[in-house]
Amino acid sequence: MARYKKRERQELLLEKVSTDPFLTDEKLSEVFEVSIQTIRLDRLELNIPELRERIKHVAREETEKIRSLSLQEVIGEIIDIELNDHALSLFIVEDGHVFQKNKITRGHYLFAQANSLCVAVIDEPLALTKSADIEFTRASKLGDKVISKAVVEKMDGHRAIITVTSRVEQRLVFKGRFEMYYTDETDEGEKYG
Amino acid sequence: MARYKKRERQELLLEKVSTDPFLTDEKLSEVFEVSIQTIRLDRLELNIPELRERIKHVAREETEKIRSLSLQEVIGEIIDIELNDHALSLFIVEDGHVFQKNKITRGHYLFAQANSLCVAVIDEPLALTKSADIEFTRASKLGDKVISKAVVEKMDGHRAIITVTSRVEQRLVFKGRFEMYYTDETDEGEKYG
DNA sequence: CTGATGTTAGTACCAACTACTAAATGAGGT
DNA sequence: ACCTCATTTAGTAGTTGGTACTAACATCAG
């Protein structure tokens, strides 16, 4: 392992640090077979913060991601809404949403966007999906911006019919017809899921 | 704000630190109006690690959570599978999967379990959901163990029909009929999503 | 050979600690 | 009021993983 020249080492350093932020300067100096000072100069030039700052950063970032990925009320970001009438949301397909092999979006994320949009558009304390007919008309892929539109067709008593269409650059990727159950009693829930 | 007595202070300390792990001993000593040494004695007695260790811990823990919640290939754990015939999976409803208000499972997680089971049961390089008719028959809740069963009804050419039923303690919570598109060409994907 | 670029050494200093000793302050109990 | 034990505070030395700075090498190209 002949030592790298500056340029090369710095590129590898960036990569190393971003894949494993838990490396001290000392460890890095061993990996690259240079002195600690060299590593520090490199970090200075590349604006890589010190170990503790890096860790703090991932800790904060990840806690936020957790909230936005798993605890969020809605998959996708709502960009327009008229309660009990219609709603629009944007969902950007990221790495975790696709099949690794071919980068095609997993169907259930498109469904999740549509489903949570239906829940959101209904202006009642409790709204649950009762049934749905759905169709995936085209494959969407990593990086796509999926715009989903929900239109409330009918509301009577405790039942709403909503049609959803999702498009990437005007082209339909998903459509569905959702039957929702809703009520103003907050703690029902022994009926549907 | 009269200062607390030891017992009380230590309980509050545990709570404080777990809700916000980014607090230094100095900040904590200000909050509780005691000296830094007192805080350190408390941490010693309660086995609370120092700031840096706490941060390191959340940073590592959270990165794992991310992977298990968002990047997993299958929602739920496959417990039995006979390719092109049938498959069973178990999905335990956790905090991130339910509505906070009433702890009812969001529909799209049940759909995700069924959908990913359908993808898994088909023994071909590429399998995509083309359409589905689904029904949520009962509400499932936080802590429920949902067993999903997929049965391949028919396979011809590039099309498979799969019926899925999901139950919590024998009681049906979800059922669906999935139409899947599949092919042995790895990089198709311009058809469905 | 000289100069620029790159690398290493070394010092002083910092935050946020641990580990330890020792002194001051309570709060009761009799 | 006095003694006592628990609690709190103070202070010192040492650690990790750094920053910031100065100064001394090393390497190579023209």
Side-chain angles (χ1 to χ4, degrees), chain B residues 13 80 102 112 130 159 180:
Chain B
L13 185 66
D80 180 32
N102 47 35
K130 195 185 167 209
R159 199 160 143 280
M180 307 296 289

Side-chain angles (χ1 to χ4, degrees), chain A residues 58-106:
Chain A
V58 296
R60 282 198 221 275
E61 204 179 44
E62 306 295 90
T63 34
E64 273 169 36
K65 258 194 202 162
I66 283 274
R67 262 169 225 130
S68 72
L69 271 170
S70 78
L71 296 177
Q72 72 187 162
E73 295 283 313
V74 173
I75 305 281
E77 188 191 346
I78 291 186
I79 50 184
D80 181 33
I81 189 163
E82 179 105 3
L83 290 168
N84 296 336
D85 188 69
H86 71 272
L88 282 175
S89 80
L90 166 66
F91 164 57
I92 296 174
V93 181
E94 285 167 20
D95 212 55
H97 306 124
V98 300
F99 292 101
Q100 285 310 305
K101 288 181 291 196
N102 47 36
K103 307 296 178 193
I104 295 177
T105 314
R106 288 164 197 286

Side-chain angles (χ1 to χ4, degrees), chain B residues 149-160:
Chain B
K149 182 176 186 177
V151 175
V152 179
E153 304 288 344
K154 194 160 75 171
M155 284 182 82
D156 53 62
H158 292 297
R159 199 160 143 280

Side-chain angles (χ1 to χ4, degrees), chain A residues 10 12 20-21 30 44 48 51 58-59 62 64 66 73-74 78 81 87 91 93 102 109 119 133 168 177 182 186 192:
Chain A
Q10 293 195 340
L12 289 168
D20 183 359
E30 284 164 24
L44 201 75
I48 300 172
L51 174 79
V58 296
E62 306 295 90
E64 273 169 36
I66 283 274
E73 295 283 313
V74 173
I78 291 186
I81 189 163
F91 164 57
V93 181
N102 47 36
Y109 285 103
V119 172
D133 282 8
V168 174
R177 183 185 164 283
Y182 63 88
T186 315
Y192 314 110

Side-chain angles (χ1 to χ4, degrees), chain B residues 64-82:
Chain B
E64 275 167 35
K65 263 194 201 162
I66 286 271
R67 259 168 226 131
S68 74
L69 271 168
S70 78
L71 295 177
Q72 72 190 159
E73 294 283 312
V74 174
I75 305 283
E77 187 191 347
I78 290 184
I79 51 184
D80 180 32
I81 190 162
E82 177 106 5

